[in-house]
Amino acid sequence: STKTPPEESKQIYDFMDEMYKKFKANGIRCKFDDRSNRSAGWKFNYWEQKGVPLRIEMGPKDLNNKKAVLVRRDTGAKEEVSTDELEKRVPELLAQIQTDMLEKARRDRDERISIVFTWKEFVEALGKGNMVLAPWCLTTESEEWVKEETKRIFMEKAPEEEQKSEEEKAKGLTGAAKTLCIPFNQPPLPEGTPCFTDNGKPAKEWCLWGRSY
Protein backbone atom coordinates (compact mmCIF):
# COMPACT_ATOMS: atom_id res chain seq x y z
CA SER A 1 0.00 0.00 0.00
CA THR A 2 1.08 3.60 -0.64
CA LYS A 3 0.37 4.47 3.02
CA THR A 4 2.26 1.60 4.68
CA PRO A 5 5.56 2.60 6.39
CA PRO A 6 8.64 1.36 4.45
CA GLU A 7 9.81 -1.03 7.19
CA GLU A 8 6.43 -2.76 7.42
CA SER A 9 6.13 -2.80 3.64
CA LYS A 10 9.43 -4.66 3.42
CA GLN A 11 8.34 -7.24 6.00
CA ILE A 12 5.11 -7.86 4.10
CA TYR A 13 7.00 -7.98 0.81
CA ASP A 14 9.51 -10.51 2.13
CA PHE A 15 6.81 -12.79 3.51
CA MET A 16 4.58 -12.64 0.42
CA ASP A 17 7.57 -13.09 -1.90
CA GLU A 18 8.47 -16.25 0.01
CA MET A 19 4.88 -17.54 -0.26
CA TYR A 20 4.76 -16.64 -3.94
CA LYS A 21 7.85 -18.75 -4.62
CA LYS A 22 6.39 -21.67 -2.64
CA PHE A 23 3.10 -21.52 -4.52
CA LYS A 24 4.90 -21.43 -7.86
CA ALA A 25 7.06 -24.39 -6.83
CA ASN A 26 3.86 -26.31 -5.99
CA GLY A 27 2.42 -25.69 -9.45
CA ILE A 28 -0.03 -22.94 -8.51
CA ARG A 29 -0.37 -20.17 -11.06
CA CYS A 30 -0.15 -16.92 -9.14
CA LYS A 31 0.83 -13.27 -9.34
CA PHE A 32 2.55 -11.20 -6.67
CA ASP A 33 1.33 -7.63 -7.09
CA ASP A 34 4.04 -5.65 -5.34
CA ARG A 35 3.29 -2.33 -7.02
CA SER A 36 3.67 0.47 -4.48
CA ASN A 37 2.05 3.17 -6.62
CA ARG A 38 -1.41 1.60 -6.49
CA SER A 39 -3.86 1.40 -3.58
CA ALA A 40 -5.08 -1.94 -2.23
CA GLY A 41 -8.60 -1.23 -3.49
CA TRP A 42 -7.33 -0.52 -7.00
CA LYS A 43 -5.40 -3.79 -7.02
CA PHE A 44 -8.40 -5.76 -5.74
CA ASN A 45 -10.58 -4.41 -8.55
CA TYR A 46 -7.88 -4.94 -11.16
CA TRP A 47 -7.37 -8.64 -10.41
CA GLU A 48 -11.07 -9.29 -9.92
CA GLN A 49 -11.68 -8.06 -13.45
CA LYS A 50 -8.91 -10.39 -14.61
CA GLY A 51 -10.88 -13.31 -13.16
CA VAL A 52 -8.39 -14.37 -10.49
CA PRO A 53 -10.34 -16.86 -8.30
CA LEU A 54 -8.54 -16.27 -5.00
CA ARG A 55 -6.91 -13.21 -3.51
CA ILE A 56 -4.51 -13.10 -0.58
CA GLU A 57 -4.56 -9.89 1.42
CA MET A 58 -2.00 -8.87 4.00
CA GLY A 59 -1.55 -5.56 5.77
CA PRO A 60 0.53 -4.42 8.76
CA LYS A 61 -2.07 -5.60 11.30
CA ASP A 62 -2.33 -8.99 9.58
CA LEU A 63 1.43 -9.36 9.64
CA ASN A 64 1.61 -8.51 13.36
CA ASN A 65 -1.13 -11.06 14.09
CA LYS A 66 0.56 -13.63 11.84
CA LYS A 67 -2.55 -13.91 9.67
CA ALA A 68 -3.55 -13.40 6.06
CA VAL A 69 -7.00 -12.94 4.52
CA LEU A 70 -8.19 -15.14 1.66
CA VAL A 71 -10.97 -13.73 -0.51
CA ARG A 72 -12.95 -15.87 -2.98
CA ARG A 73 -13.97 -14.18 -6.21
CA ASP A 74 -16.98 -16.48 -6.80
CA THR A 75 -18.71 -15.78 -3.48
CA GLY A 76 -16.86 -12.82 -1.99
CA ALA A 77 -16.35 -14.84 1.20
CA LYS A 78 -13.36 -13.89 3.35
CA GLU A 79 -11.36 -16.25 5.51
CA GLU A 80 -8.62 -15.48 7.99
CA VAL A 81 -5.75 -17.95 7.89
CA SER A 82 -2.65 -18.13 10.03
CA THR A 83 0.57 -17.58 8.14
CA ASP A 84 1.68 -21.08 9.19
CA GLU A 85 -1.36 -22.63 7.47
CA LEU A 86 -1.35 -20.45 4.36
CA GLU A 87 0.71 -22.75 2.16
CA LYS A 88 -1.62 -25.66 2.94
CA ARG A 89 -4.91 -23.78 2.89
CA VAL A 90 -4.56 -22.04 -0.49
CA PRO A 91 -4.52 -25.21 -2.67
CA GLU A 92 -7.36 -26.66 -0.56
CA LEU A 93 -9.50 -23.58 -1.13
CA LEU A 94 -8.69 -23.44 -4.84
CA ALA A 95 -9.85 -27.05 -5.19
CA GLN A 96 -13.04 -26.20 -3.28
CA ILE A 97 -13.71 -23.21 -5.52
CA GLN A 98 -13.36 -25.42 -8.59
CA THR A 99 -15.77 -27.98 -7.14
CA ASP A 100 -18.31 -25.36 -6.08
CA MET A 101 -18.25 -23.58 -9.44
CA LEU A 102 -18.62 -26.82 -11.38
CA GLU A 103 -21.55 -27.93 -9.23
CA LYS A 104 -23.23 -24.54 -9.66
CA ALA A 105 -22.71 -24.62 -13.42
CA ARG A 106 -24.26 -28.09 -13.57
CA ARG A 107 -27.24 -26.98 -11.45
CA ASP A 108 -27.78 -23.93 -13.64
CA ARG A 109 -27.55 -26.08 -16.77
CA ASP A 110 -29.97 -28.70 -15.47
CA GLU A 111 -32.48 -26.04 -14.40
CA ARG A 112 -32.51 -24.77 -17.99
CA ILE A 113 -33.17 -28.12 -19.63
CA SER A 114 -36.80 -28.94 -20.45
CA ILE A 115 -37.82 -32.52 -21.23
CA VAL A 116 -40.57 -32.67 -23.86
CA PHE A 117 -42.36 -35.22 -26.01
CA THR A 118 -44.34 -33.13 -28.49
CA TRP A 119 -43.69 -30.34 -30.98
CA LYS A 120 -45.94 -27.96 -29.04
CA GLU A 121 -43.99 -28.56 -25.82
CA PHE A 122 -40.74 -28.16 -27.75
CA VAL A 123 -41.68 -24.73 -29.13
CA GLU A 124 -42.91 -23.51 -25.75
CA ALA A 125 -39.73 -24.60 -23.96
CA LEU A 126 -37.54 -23.09 -26.66
CA GLY A 127 -39.41 -19.80 -26.34
CA LYS A 128 -38.44 -19.63 -22.68
CA GLY A 129 -34.77 -19.71 -23.60
CA ASN A 130 -34.28 -23.28 -22.40
CA MET A 131 -32.33 -26.13 -23.90
CA VAL A 132 -34.72 -28.91 -24.84
CA LEU A 133 -34.28 -32.68 -24.50
CA ALA A 134 -36.62 -34.42 -26.92
CA PRO A 135 -37.07 -37.90 -28.44
CA TRP A 136 -35.80 -37.74 -32.01
CA CYS A 137 -35.79 -40.02 -35.06
CA LEU A 138 -32.23 -38.95 -36.03
CA THR A 139 -33.05 -38.09 -39.65
CA THR A 140 -31.40 -35.21 -41.50
CA GLU A 141 -34.74 -34.24 -43.01
CA SER A 142 -36.37 -33.74 -39.61
CA GLU A 143 -33.37 -31.78 -38.33
CA GLU A 144 -33.59 -29.39 -41.28
CA TRP A 145 -37.35 -29.12 -40.80
CA VAL A 146 -36.89 -28.13 -37.14
CA LYS A 147 -34.38 -25.45 -38.13
CA GLU A 148 -36.64 -23.95 -40.79
CA GLU A 149 -39.83 -24.21 -38.76
CA THR A 150 -38.41 -22.62 -35.62
CA LYS A 151 -36.87 -19.86 -37.76
CA ARG A 152 -40.28 -19.23 -39.35
CA ILE A 153 -41.99 -19.13 -35.96
CA PHE A 154 -39.44 -16.67 -34.65
CA MET A 155 -39.82 -14.40 -37.70
CA GLU A 156 -43.58 -14.35 -37.16
CA LYS A 157 -43.09 -13.34 -33.54
CA ALA A 158 -40.34 -10.80 -34.25
CA PRO A 159 -42.67 -7.76 -34.00
CA GLU A 160 -43.85 -8.97 -30.57
CA GLU A 161 -40.25 -9.43 -29.42
CA GLU A 162 -39.43 -5.83 -30.34
CA GLN A 163 -42.11 -4.63 -27.93
CA LYS A 164 -40.47 -6.39 -24.99
CA SER A 165 -38.03 -4.79 -22.58
CA GLU A 166 -34.31 -5.52 -22.93
CA GLU A 167 -34.52 -7.62 -19.75
CA GLU A 168 -37.31 -9.75 -21.22
CA LYS A 169 -35.45 -10.15 -24.50
CA ALA A 170 -32.36 -11.36 -22.65
CA LYS A 171 -34.26 -14.24 -21.06
CA GLY A 172 -34.47 -16.19 -24.30
CA LEU A 173 -32.27 -16.70 -27.33
CA THR A 174 -33.63 -16.06 -30.78
CA GLY A 175 -33.28 -17.72 -34.14
CA ALA A 176 -33.48 -21.27 -35.43
CA ALA A 177 -33.14 -24.32 -33.21
CA LYS A 178 -30.30 -26.76 -33.77
CA THR A 179 -29.03 -30.01 -32.32
CA LEU A 180 -26.49 -29.57 -29.54
CA CYS A 181 -25.63 -33.18 -28.74
CA ILE A 182 -26.95 -36.67 -28.22
CA PRO A 183 -26.22 -37.28 -24.52
CA PHE A 184 -24.20 -40.33 -23.56
CA ASN A 185 -26.46 -40.81 -20.52
CA GLN A 186 -29.80 -41.46 -22.19
CA PRO A 187 -33.04 -41.33 -20.18
CA PRO A 188 -35.35 -44.33 -20.69
CA LEU A 189 -37.09 -44.19 -24.07
CA PRO A 190 -40.28 -46.30 -24.05
CA GLU A 191 -40.71 -48.47 -27.12
CA GLY A 192 -42.95 -46.83 -29.69
CA THR A 193 -42.25 -43.26 -28.54
CA PRO A 194 -42.80 -41.03 -31.59
CA CYS A 195 -40.38 -38.37 -32.78
CA PHE A 196 -41.24 -35.02 -31.22
CA THR A 197 -41.51 -33.45 -34.70
CA ASP A 198 -44.80 -35.32 -35.27
CA ASN A 199 -43.47 -36.76 -38.54
CA GLY A 200 -44.86 -40.19 -37.73
CA LYS A 201 -41.44 -41.84 -37.30
CA PRO A 202 -40.35 -43.60 -34.11
CA ALA A 203 -37.79 -41.88 -31.91
CA LYS A 204 -34.37 -43.54 -31.66
CA GLU A 205 -32.51 -41.33 -29.19
CA TRP A 206 -33.00 -38.42 -26.85
CA CYS A 207 -31.36 -35.33 -28.34
CA LEU A 208 -30.54 -31.96 -26.80
CA TRP A 209 -31.60 -28.92 -28.81
CA GLY A 210 -31.07 -25.19 -28.40
CA ARG A 211 -31.44 -21.84 -30.09
CA SER A 212 -28.81 -20.39 -32.40
CA TYR A 213 -27.39 -17.03 -31.37
Side-chain angles (χ1 to χ4, degrees):
S1 170
T2 55
K3 297 181 181 180
T4 304
E7 184 179 341
E8 291 182 339
S9 290
K10 186 178 185 308
Q11 290 176 335
I12 294 172
Y13 177 92
D14 289 344
F15 174 78
M16 293 308 298
D17 185 53
E18 180 185 354
M19 294 308 305
Y20 168 74
K21 291 173 180 175
K22 288 182 178 180
F23 292 142
K24 293 282 284 187
N26 289 331
I28 296 175
R29 290 192 301 165
C30 54
K31 292 288 185 179
F32 177 22
D33 194 339
D34 59 348
R35 288 174 288 181
S36 59
N37 63 333
R38 296 294 186 181
S39 67
W42 190 95
K43 293 179 184 180
F44 297 165
N45 184 64
Y46 176 84
W47 291 109
E48 190 159 312
Q49 290 185 26
K50 290 285 187 180
V52 172
L54 185 64
R55 182 173 77 239
I56 304 175
E57 300 175 5
M58 175 172 278
K61 290 183 180 179
D62 300 312
L63 184 65
N64 291 335
N65 293 328
K66 295 185 178 181
K67 292 183 180 296
V69 179
L70 304 181
V71 186
R72 293 176 56 154
R73 182 178 185 271
D74 62 324
T75 64
K78 295 187 176 184
E79 177 183 334
E80 273 195 352
V81 180
S82 73
T83 52
D84 293 336
E85 293 293 320
L86 192 58
E87 185 179 0
K88 176 185 175 184
R89 181 56 182 153
V90 165
E92 290 177 347
L93 193 51
L94 286 171
Q96 187 61 52
I97 291 171
Q98 167 67 18
T99 298
D100 292 348
M101 291 182 67
L102 180 58
E103 289 179 352
K104 182 180 184 301
R106 284 173 172 163
R107 286 197 304 271
D108 291 346
R109 176 202 63 190
D110 292 345
E111 288 173 1
R112 296 305 300 260
I113 294 178
S114 295
I115 299 176
V116 306
F117 285 88
T118 67
W119 176 248
K120 181 181 178 181
E121 294 172 340
F122 179 88
V123 173
E124 289 176 352
L126 206 63
K128 295 176 182 177
N130 290 348
M131 294 183 287
V132 188
L133 190 64
W136 184 37
C137 62
L138 303 182
T139 64
T140 302
E141 294 79 12
S142 63
E143 181 176 18
E144 291 301 318
W145 180 84
V146 170
K147 289 180 182 179
E148 293 302 318
E149 189 65 9
T150 50
K151 182 179 180 180
R152 181 190 66 78
I153 292 171
F154 166 69
M155 294 301 293
E156 288 180 353
K157 292 184 176 181
E160 298 177 20
E161 292 294 319
E162 287 303 316
Q163 301 301 317
K164 293 182 178 181
S165 67
E166 291 302 318
E167 183 178 353
E168 289 175 320
K169 290 179 184 178
K171 290 181 180 178
L173 299 176
T174 57
K178 63 180 181 180
T179 53
L180 301 178
C181 71
I182 297 175
F184 287 119
N185 298 323
Q186 288 277 312
L189 184 65
E191 187 175 352
T193 298
C195 177
F196 77 98
T197 61
D198 297 332
N199 62 5
K201 295 182 179 180
K204 296 182 178 179
E205 299 275 6
W206 287 92
C207 181
L208 193 63
W209 300 73
R211 286 274 198 195
S212 300
Y213 284 94

